[in-house]
């Protein structure tokens, strides 16, 4: 088995906020704010959210039959519409730092965002658009710097978390959130990167995982089990990732395939960390390592965290401390994916130990 815990996705009676929706804003102005970020409601909710989805798709393929709600279907259609915007904003020609036509694409996204969300979400959720819209706007890259990175990927994760917290997406959507919606989002991001030559935001591809993404490797490693026909060392073998059937079915293989399409030279040179990871014997160990690395290389890095937006749904307020006895009980299981914003549970023991250790260190890049 991948982990010793099982995802528990109990639906609470209500996840609607009592406060009025607000336009989110940045809060992490300098490195000292990182301590509050790692002790905030947002940090604990988002890490729990990532872990819950990680467990929800364990052993599943992208093509696995899963429940898809009407709202999730419309969200996929929203991504399709953003894809069509590329046709309306053709490339102007690559410059030193990307193609300026991306700014046209992003301006169109800004102009259409509110209407697109109104067309996508049932009317009862329209009042939340002022708060959730900025996360969608931030999900596809920066129009000033013409770049894209894991911070933008995280913005989309926070967008999904917001939708779950207001119950626009529900418990039955948990598998399709990753296998269908997130997968479609990643496809569009890769198309944007290649069409407009977007720069990697804070590129560390050789020493981290990838110039642009992280979650396809984290969640993608959960799709495999220790009994899978494909072993970690085979994931970087072109006989597997170049197989369209396998690449289309697994986020991890599709990510490896993309890297080899946009980079030249031996894989062990341009993606040394991923190459080293391929030598791990079991997918369960790979997945556990990905969870730990996501904290160290994404969540706990100031250059990324400084751009996170906070409001009432994604709150910068400190998470309430739980009595030791309650923490011990909660650490034996995964957190609920759909939960009240005021009820923050503790992640699984493995992730919690890493959070505690990282709280004692400051990462500044």
């Amino acid at each position: 088995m991948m982990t010793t815990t099982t995802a528990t996705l109990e639906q609470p009676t209500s996840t609607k906020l009592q406060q009025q929706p607000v336009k989110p804003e940045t809060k992490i102005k300098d490195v000292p704010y990182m301590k509050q970020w790692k002790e905030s409601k947002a940090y604990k909710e988002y890490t729990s959210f990532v872990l819950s989805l990680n467990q929800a798709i364990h052993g599943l393929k992208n093509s696995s039959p899963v429940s898809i709600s009407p709202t999730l279907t419309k969200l996929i259609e929203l991504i399709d519409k953003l894809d069509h915007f590329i046709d309306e904003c053709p490339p102007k020609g690559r410059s030193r730092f990307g193609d300026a036509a991306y700014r046209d694409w992003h301006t169109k996204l800004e102009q259409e965002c509110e209407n697109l969300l109104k067309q996508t979400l049932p009317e009862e959720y329209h009042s939340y658009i002022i708060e959730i819209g900025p996360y969608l706007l931030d999900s596809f890259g920066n129009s000033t710097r013409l770049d894209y990175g894991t911070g933008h990927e995280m913005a989309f994760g926070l967008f999904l978390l917001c939708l779950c917290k207001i119950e626009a997406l529900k418990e039955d959507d948990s598998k399709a959130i990753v296998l269908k919606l997130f997968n479609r989002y990643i496809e569009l991001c890769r198309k944007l990167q290649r069409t407009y030559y977007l720069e990697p935001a804070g590129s560390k591809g050789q020493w981290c995982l990838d110039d642009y993404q992280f979650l396809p490797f984290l969640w993608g490693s959960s799709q495999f089990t220790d009994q899978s026909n494909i072993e970690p060392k085979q994931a970087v073998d072109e006989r597997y990732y170049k197989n369209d059937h396998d690449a289309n079915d697994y986020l991890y293989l599709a990510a490896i395939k993309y890297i080899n399409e946009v980079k030249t030279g031996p894989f062990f040179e341009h993606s040394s960390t991923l190459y080293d990871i391929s030598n791990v014997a079991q997918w369960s160990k790979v997945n556990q390592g990905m969870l730990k690395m996501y904290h160290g290389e994404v969540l706990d890095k100031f250059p990324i965290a400084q751009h996170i937006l906070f409001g009432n749904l994604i709150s910068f307020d400190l998470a309430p401390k739980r009595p030791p006895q309650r923490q011990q009980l909660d650490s034996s299981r995964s957190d609920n994916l759909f939960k009240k914003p005021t009820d923050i549970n503790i992640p699984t023991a493995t992730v919690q130990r890493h959070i505690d250790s990282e709280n004692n260190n400051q990462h500044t890049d």
Side-chain angles (χ1 to χ4, degrees):
M1 297 294 293
M2 180 74 66
T3 61
T4 58
T5 59
T6 302
T8 303
L9 304 175
E10 301 170 358
Q11 184 76 24
T13 55
S14 174
T15 62
K16 305 296 178 61
L17 284 176
Q18 298 302 315
Q19 306 100 316
Q20 288 295 317
V22 297
K23 186 175 181 178
E25 58 184 13
T26 58
K27 298 280 189 181
I28 304 173
K29 305 299 184 182
D30 207 343
V31 174
Y33 288 87
M34 290 297 291
K35 184 177 187 297
Q36 183 173 342
W37 156 234
K38 289 185 278 188
E39 295 176 353
S40 69
K41 293 179 180 178
Y43 189 96
K44 293 193 181 296
E45 286 189 331
Y46 182 68
T47 55
S48 298
F49 178 70
V50 169
L51 179 60
S52 294
L53 291 179
N54 181 68
Q55 294 183 337
I57 63 164
H58 178 54
L60 298 179
K61 299 180 180 180
N62 295 341
S63 60
S64 295
V66 295
S67 174
I68 305 178
S69 67
T71 298
L72 196 140
T73 297
K74 288 188 175 181
L75 284 164
I76 296 174
E77 293 172 355
L78 184 155
I79 301 296
D80 291 339
K81 292 175 183 177
L82 299 184
D83 195 325
H84 292 316
F85 285 0
I86 296 176
D87 298 330
E88 302 175 34
C89 305
K92 297 178 179 179
R94 184 176 186 178
S95 64
R96 182 180 178 186
F97 298 108
D99 192 315
Y102 174 72
R103 295 192 176 104
D104 299 333
W105 182 91
H106 205 278
T107 296
K108 188 168 182 62
L109 168 62
E110 294 169 2
Q111 294 170 343
E112 300 291 336
C113 182
E114 181 177 353
N115 287 333
L116 286 172
L117 287 173
K118 284 183 177 179
Q119 295 169 15
T120 300
L121 300 175
E123 187 174 355
E124 64 182 295
Y125 304 113
H126 287 184
S127 62
Y128 291 98
I129 290 176
I130 186 176
E131 185 155 353
I132 65 178
Y135 294 102
L136 183 65
L137 288 175
D138 202 28
S139 295
F140 301 95
N142 184 282
S143 59
T144 301
R145 300 188 304 269
L146 301 179
D147 66 10
Y148 175 95
T150 51
H152 303 107
E153 178 190 70
M154 182 182 176
F156 190 72
L158 292 169
F159 172 70
L160 296 175
L161 176 57
C162 287
L163 293 175
C164 291
K165 291 181 67 173
I166 65 174
E167 296 183 341
L169 293 177
K170 304 185 186 299
E171 177 182 357
D172 289 343
D173 291 311
S174 58
K175 296 177 177 62
I177 286 173
V178 177
L179 302 179
K180 309 302 179 183
L181 178 55
F182 178 76
N183 188 33
R184 182 65 185 95
Y185 160 76
I186 289 296
E187 290 175 352
L188 173 57
C189 287
R190 289 173 181 150
K191 185 174 181 179
L192 290 170
Q193 292 156 20
R194 301 184 81 163
T195 301
Y196 300 118
Y197 301 99
L198 298 184
E199 293 290 317
S203 174
K204 296 197 309 175
Q206 182 177 4
W207 308 114
C208 185
L209 288 181
D210 177 36
D211 288 338
Y212 297 107
Q213 316 288 165
F214 196 105
L215 289 176
F217 299 100
L218 196 165
W219 287 335
S221 60
S222 183
Q223 288 183 274
F224 294 107
T225 70
D226 289 342
Q227 291 75 42
S228 294
N229 293 329
I230 299 175
E231 300 175 3
K233 64 182 179 181
Q234 294 170 323
V236 299
D237 187 326
E238 63 179 16
R239 290 174 296 179
Y240 293 87
Y241 67 74
K242 280 191 174 181
N243 182 312
D244 287 340
H245 182 269
D246 289 334
N248 291 336
D249 253 346
Y250 295 103
L251 294 170
Y252 199 103
L253 294 184
I256 297 293
K257 179 180 180 181
Y258 180 70
I259 289 174
N260 281 283
E261 289 174 346
V262 299
K263 292 190 175 185
T264 58
F267 187 81
F268 69 85
E269 289 186 357
H270 60 63
S271 301
S272 58
T273 301
L274 280 169
Y275 182 79
D276 290 341
I277 289 172
S278 71
N279 292 314
V280 177
Q282 297 178 318
W283 282 112
S284 57
K285 298 297 183 182
V286 172
N287 189 241
Q288 291 167 15
M290 291 291 181
L291 285 166
K292 182 176 180 180
M293 187 178 290
Y294 191 58
H295 284 271
E297 298 298 334
V298 179
L299 300 182
D300 297 348
K301 291 294 187 182
F302 171 73
I304 295 174
Q306 66 179 325
H307 300 295
I308 298 173
L309 299 173
F310 298 93
N312 288 333
L313 287 167
I314 306 300
S315 175
F316 197 55
D317 293 342
L318 292 176
K321 300 293 184 180
R322 287 177 176 264
Q325 183 178 6
R326 181 64 183 275
Q327 288 188 18
Q328 184 176 2
L329 290 172
D330 287 346
S331 68
S332 64
R333 63 175 180 82
S334 171
D335 277 338
N336 178 14
L337 175 59
F338 305 90
K339 54 184 173 295
K340 299 178 183 178
T342 56
D343 184 17
I344 314 299
N345 292 332
I346 304 298
T348 60
T350 299
V351 177
Q352 185 61 39
R353 284 195 297 271
H354 179 68
I355 293 174
D356 292 341
S357 65
E358 290 294 334
N359 278 341
N360 296 323
N361 300 291
Q362 295 295 321
H363 298 271
T364 58
D365 266 0

